[in-house]
Amino acid sequence: MKIIHNRLLPFRKYDAINICGLLFCRKGVTITTDLIQHERIHTAQMLEMLVVGFYIWYLIEWLVRLPMHGRAYINIAFEREAYEHMYDPNYLLTRKRFAWRKYL
């Protein structure tokens, strides 16, 4: 995974953002193996959804979850899967395709 340190992406609340398999990190952010694993899970999700589908689904799910209880971001199925398995370095070896659906 290519890591790009910069001052613009992601927005201040976040440490990193995965855009088409490129990891953009704010300057000064510590890149951990857990963070990289989280973003690798997102890359697997993107490939399943043919990249564009991932971003469309992500945006629609975020909009649907905005009025719900809690932060919309943390309740998105893609994020729930990635956060739950970011500490398991072997997860991507055993992950079933479209595993994020069980978090809907």
Side-chain angles (χ1 to χ4, degrees):
M1 176 171 287
K2 177 114 170 114
I3 300 171
I4 301 168
H5 294 274
N6 69 94
R7 294 185 181 140
L8 301 175
L9 290 174
F11 302 117
R12 293 208 184 264
K13 285 183 175 180
Y14 304 98
D15 292 337
I17 186 170
N18 184 339
I19 300 177
C20 299
L22 297 173
L23 185 60
F24 291 87
C25 298
R26 292 193 70 77
K27 286 198 180 230
V29 168
T30 302
I31 307 299
T32 64
T33 56
D34 301 332
L35 174 64
I36 291 173
Q37 176 69 359
H38 178 99
E39 299 304 336
R40 283 184 177 151
I41 293 169
H42 284 321
T43 299
Q45 295 164 340
M46 286 178 205
L47 293 174
E48 289 170 348
M49 302 287 290
L50 305 176
V51 182
V52 174
F54 172 86
Y55 291 108
I56 292 169
W57 188 281
Y58 197 104
L59 178 62
I60 290 169
E61 191 173 348
W62 181 76
L63 290 170
V64 166
R65 293 185 185 279
L66 265 179
M68 295 178 175
H69 180 70
R71 282 182 62 203
Y73 159 77
I74 203 71
N75 289 313
I76 294 170
F78 295 131
E79 294 299 341
R80 291 177 63 203
E81 179 191 11
Y83 276 111
E84 184 170 319
H85 299 285
M86 67 189 276
Y87 302 107
D88 180 358
N90 298 315
Y91 178 66
L92 288 171
L93 299 174
T94 59
R95 179 183 181 269
K96 296 198 184 325
R97 289 179 49 94
F98 299 97
W100 55 270
R101 291 184 306 171
K102 83 174 199 176
Y103 297 92
L104 288 172

